[in-house]
Amino acid sequence: PSFVALSAAFDGAGLRPYAPAHLAVSGPLGAAVRFDWIRRTRVDGDDWTAPEVPLGEDSESYLLRVISGSTVLREEILTTPGWTYDLAAQVADGVAPGDRVKVAQLSARFGAGLFAGVELS
């Protein structure tokens, strides 16, 4: 009588990567725009003395999307926590102020995690 047996199934959200932190934009549209962020981890990330959190994945990768409304203008898979949106790519995409850039960490076990986003100006 002190316990109850329970069978449960979970959707694996505990493996979903966190959204990248501190997504920053350097520069306005119409020139090269630099995006930088800091990766986050679900694995052994509690050591505040380490210069960086452990990767926690087989490899470091990110999914970056440039979005206008609900239309994806550009999608890139990146292996470093930064990206430069050069003027030629901006013109080819037809990007405009108010469009958004979103970045998610990728996991081999889960797929894309939560997105961090920033509006272009």
Side-chain angles (χ1 to χ4, degrees):
S2 64
F3 66 92
V4 175
L6 174 67
S7 293
F10 300 94
D11 60 5
L15 299 175
R16 177 179 57 204
Y18 291 124
H22 306 289
L23 177 56
V25 183
S26 301
L29 287 175
V33 181
R34 178 75 188 169
F35 298 88
D36 292 290
W37 56 89
I38 298 171
R39 101 171 163 253
R40 295 171 65 197
T41 188
R42 284 189 177 270
V43 178
D44 296 328
D46 295 333
D47 182 2
W48 290 77
T49 62
E52 246 188 88
V53 296
L55 184 55
E57 296 292 336
D58 297 335
S59 63
E60 183 173 9
S61 60
Y62 305 92
L63 173 62
L64 180 138
R65 291 180 177 154
V66 179
I67 300 172
S68 179
S70 61
T71 304
V72 176
L73 303 175
R74 177 175 295 268
E75 188 170 272
E76 302 274 345
I77 302 292
L78 307 167
T79 58
T80 59
W83 180 66
T84 300
Y85 198 14
D86 63 42
L87 182 56
Q90 293 174 38
V91 170
D93 296 344
V95 72
D99 291 345
R100 296 188 61 78
V101 170
K102 294 185 174 186
V103 181
Q105 295 178 184
L106 292 175
S107 166
R109 292 175 293 234
F110 189 90
L114 299 171
F115 281 87
V118 65
E119 189 171 298
L120 298 171
S121 57

